[in-house]
Amino acid sequence: MALQFYFAPMSTAEVTDAVIRELGVTCERIELDIGKGETRSPEFLKINPNGRVPVIVHDGAVIWESAAITMYLAETFGVERGLYPELGPKRGEAMKWTVWSNVVLAEAGGRLAANIDPGVPGSTTPGSQDHLDEKNRSACEAAKAKADIVRCFEILNEALSGRDFLLIEYTVVDTHVQSLAGWLVMMGADLERFPHLAAWIERVNRRNS
Ligand SMILES: N[C@@H](CCC(=O)N[C@@H](CS)C(=O)NCC(=O)O)C(=O)O
């Protein structure tokens, strides 16, 4: 049975979409509308009790959390294609960047997305579980999130100094992390002070276009 991919446009599922395209994986796409509450329908909650996309279903396994999905797809389809390291120390580095980008970078992004004007591209979708009413949005929270993002950008910029890609050669780790970094830039995160990061974002973009 073909791999099934549950997604919503302009969501974290874009990361998985980029990884699936990079790996050339054939899949059946099931689109959900977050604004209409389709990610919280009783049917979908049986697939992901967190009520969130992305989700993939492959050979009977239901996998949610974009970092887990990327690592699974990369292990399954990426190693032979030279897009993910074999088991070993380099694999550890791949996992480090993938998990960090979700737990640290995207976590700050999520706080920023919820606390800025919903008209800004990349901010939370009205009707989503993370969306805050104007009275609950906080400029202070947004400022803290921005400062955390700057720290993340410093870390990425330093890591990319003297190399073209996170693991030297291009891997789907670049696809994953760049997709999340691109979301932060879409919300207004400034790349001015981060030339290595800015060049890498462009490099990965060129590859994907
Ligand atoms: N940590 C999760 C985050 C996924 C997530 O937050 N997805 C949001 C869209 S960006 C969602 O599906 N929200 C549905 C809702 O709020 O109903 C991951 O990386 O997969």
Side-chain angles (χ1 to χ4, degrees):
M1 189 169 153
L3 184 145
Q4 292 175 307
F5 172 36
Y6 292 82
F7 76 102
M10 293 297 287
S11 76
T12 311
E14 300 281 3
V15 176
T16 303
D17 188 55
V19 168
I20 283 176
R21 279 187 287 109
E22 180 63 51
L23 292 170
V25 177
T26 308
C27 66
E28 176 196 348
R29 290 164 186 272
I30 300 130
E31 180 168 345
L32 302 178
D33 188 328
I34 294 176
K36 289 187 182 157
E38 290 176 0
T39 36
R40 278 155 287 135
S41 70
E43 300 76 41
F44 185 68
L45 288 173
K46 282 187 201 141
I47 296 164
N48 184 358
N50 300 287
R52 291 175 187 273
V53 286
V55 179
I56 63 162
V57 184
H58 189 223
D59 282 346
V62 179
I63 307 170
W64 23 265
E65 284 301 323
S66 59
I69 295 171
T70 290
M71 291 189 285
Y72 174 76
L73 291 176
E75 277 176 21
T76 309
F77 302 103
V79 179
E80 277 184 13
R81 289 169 166 85
L83 289 168
Y84 199 62
E86 309 260 0
L87 272 179
K90 203 98 181 161
R91 172 75 66 87
E93 290 187 315
M95 293 162 76
K96 169 187 74 179
W97 285 116
T98 308
V99 172
W100 173 85
S101 70
N102 274 47
V103 173
V104 184
L105 182 84
E107 190 277 332
R111 281 185 280 120
L112 183 62
N115 285 287
I116 54 177
D117 187 293
V120 176
S123 60
T124 54
T125 308
S128 81
Q129 47 186 306
D130 298 324
H131 190 71
L132 296 174
D133 292 337
E134 192 175 354
K135 65 177 183 331
N136 290 320
R137 287 199 288 273
S138 150
C140 204
E141 281 292 329
K144 171 74 172 83
K146 279 182 191 164
D148 292 342
I149 289 166
V150 167
R151 180 68 196 118
C152 289
F153 278 11
E154 282 168 357
I155 291 168
L156 274 175
N157 193 60
E158 177 63 27
L160 288 159
S161 157
R163 57 173 68 187
D164 282 349
F165 299 108
L166 287 166
L167 305 179
I168 300 173
E169 300 297 329
Y170 183 85
T171 65
V172 285
V173 176
D174 295 290
T175 317
H176 181 105
V177 181
Q178 192 262 13
S179 180
L180 289 172
W183 166 49
L184 305 182
V185 173
M186 190 193 292
M187 288 193 288
D190 193 359
L191 290 171
E192 185 73 26
R193 284 176 41 222
F194 307 113
H196 307 304
L197 172 58
W200 169 77
I201 287 179
E202 273 312 301
R203 210 173 288 126
V204 180
N205 264 342
R206 274 202 300 279
R207 204 190 143 90
N208 293 340
S209 57

